[in-house]
């Protein structure tokens, strides 16, 4: 997924793959998938929804307010179309380098249960390799600058190193679990893993 807009498309289509949603609930769920560092506004969501409606990937239906709700406003509910299912499949099948970059990896991981094992492993290994490169670079920078910066700047750099190291360990554990699952699963069977809750990792 080379463009940032496709990450949002994947989040929306993946969530609607589970069940139809109205705009408020969809925004809340998308924000949960995107993560705390990228809160999505209605000003960003609704243009994306209009684009997907025009493409035929989603459909909208107007529903009456639920019983007991004081508001008389009608609600628009969005649902996935067959074309949207195919679009979601094409996005989830993309396992190129953009799939393991910071802007995309969390969203891809959120839908790992709908990603085949080979693709999951490629994304996890690509992400780990990218982070190891980043870790080597940051560690070299820390070694060079530790004597030249104040202790707070050095502490911030060490925090960055520890954050990346923690995610690398987490990825390594996931890769080992995937490979064990691959070895023990019957041929043609891939129900995915139930990944453990992701630790609070900051990207630097």
């Amino acid at each position: 997924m080379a463009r940032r807009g496709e990450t949002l498309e994947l989040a929306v289509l993946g969530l609607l793959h589970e069940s139809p949603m109205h705009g408020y609930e969809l925004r809340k769920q998308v924000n949960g998938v995107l993560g705390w560092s990228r809160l999505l506004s209605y000003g960003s969501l609704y243009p994306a929804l209009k684009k997907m409606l025009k493409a035929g990937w989603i459909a909208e239906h107007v529903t009456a307010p639920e019983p007991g709700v004081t508001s008389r406003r009608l609600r628009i509910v969005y649902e996935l179309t067959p074309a949207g299912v195919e679009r979601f499949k094409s996005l989830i099948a993309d396992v190129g380098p953009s799939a393991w970059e910071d802007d995309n990896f969390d969203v891809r991981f959120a839908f790992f249960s709908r990603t085949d094992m080979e693709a999951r492993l490629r994304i996890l290994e690509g992400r780990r390799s990218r982070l190891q490169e980043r870790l080597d670079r940051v560690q070299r920078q820390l070694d060079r600058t530790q004597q030249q910066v104040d202790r707070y700047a050095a502490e911030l750099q060490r925090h960055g190193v520890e954050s990346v190291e923690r995610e690398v360990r987490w990825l390594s554990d996931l890769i080992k679990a995937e490979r064990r699952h691959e070895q023990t699963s019957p041929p043609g069977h891939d129900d995915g893993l139930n990944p453990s809750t992701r630790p609070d990792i900051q990207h630097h």
Side-chain angles (χ1 to χ4, degrees):
M1 292 181 293
R3 295 186 301 275
R4 189 174 182 179
E6 291 183 348
T7 302
L8 179 55
E9 287 175 12
L10 176 59
V12 170
L13 296 177
L15 289 168
L16 294 181
H17 204 288
E18 302 297 329
S19 66
M21 296 184 194
H22 57 80
Y24 172 80
E25 180 64 19
L26 184 58
R27 176 177 176 265
K28 184 171 69 174
Q29 294 291 335
V30 168
N31 277 329
V33 170
L34 292 178
W36 64 268
S37 62
R38 290 184 291 164
L39 293 180
L40 181 70
S41 67
Y42 287 114
S44 298
L45 175 61
Y46 283 111
L49 292 175
K50 287 181 180 179
K51 176 186 175 183
M52 286 182 267
L53 284 165
K54 185 176 181 180
W57 299 333
I58 62 175
E60 61 180 9
H61 303 283
V62 179
T63 62
E66 296 177 359
V69 177
T70 57
S71 173
R72 296 183 178 180
R73 293 180 60 185
L74 298 177
R75 298 197 308 172
I76 297 177
V77 174
Y78 300 93
E79 66 178 10
L80 204 62
T81 65
V85 172
E86 293 304 312
R87 174 63 174 170
F88 175 71
K89 288 179 179 178
S90 70
L91 291 173
I92 210 72
D94 181 358
V95 294
S98 63
W100 54 74
E101 296 293 351
D102 290 350
D103 288 344
N104 298 328
F105 176 75
D106 289 356
V107 178
R108 291 304 306 268
F109 188 79
F111 299 111
F112 259 23
S113 63
R114 298 188 177 278
T115 307
D116 65 63
M117 183 177 297
E118 183 178 346
R120 291 196 301 265
L121 278 169
R122 183 169 178 183
I123 292 170
L124 290 172
E125 290 171 344
R127 176 68 177 171
R128 182 174 64 177
S129 176
R130 184 59 49 85
L131 287 178
Q132 285 174 330
E133 293 173 1
R134 184 182 303 173
L135 183 60
D136 292 341
R137 184 173 64 252
V138 174
Q139 285 177 326
R140 288 195 301 270
Q141 181 181 1
L142 180 60
D143 291 339
R144 288 196 306 268
T145 63
Q146 198 163 18
Q147 302 301 321
Q148 303 171 13
V149 299
D150 64 45
R151 65 190 182 94
Y152 295 105
E155 187 63 31
L156 184 61
Q157 288 184 333
R158 280 194 292 271
H159 172 66
V161 169
E162 291 170 1
S163 297
V164 177
E165 287 176 336
R166 186 164 62 249
E167 186 169 358
V168 168
R169 289 194 299 269
W170 175 72
L171 289 165
S172 295
D173 290 342
L174 282 174
I175 291 168
K176 289 177 184 178
E178 288 282 351
R179 294 203 179 282
R180 284 197 300 269
H181 186 71
E182 182 180 34
Q183 293 169 359
T184 57
S185 295
H189 177 77
D190 180 15
D191 57 1
L193 299 177
N194 181 20
S196 58
T197 301
R198 189 176 184 191
D200 183 15
I201 296 172
Q202 296 183 10
H203 301 300
H204 295 273

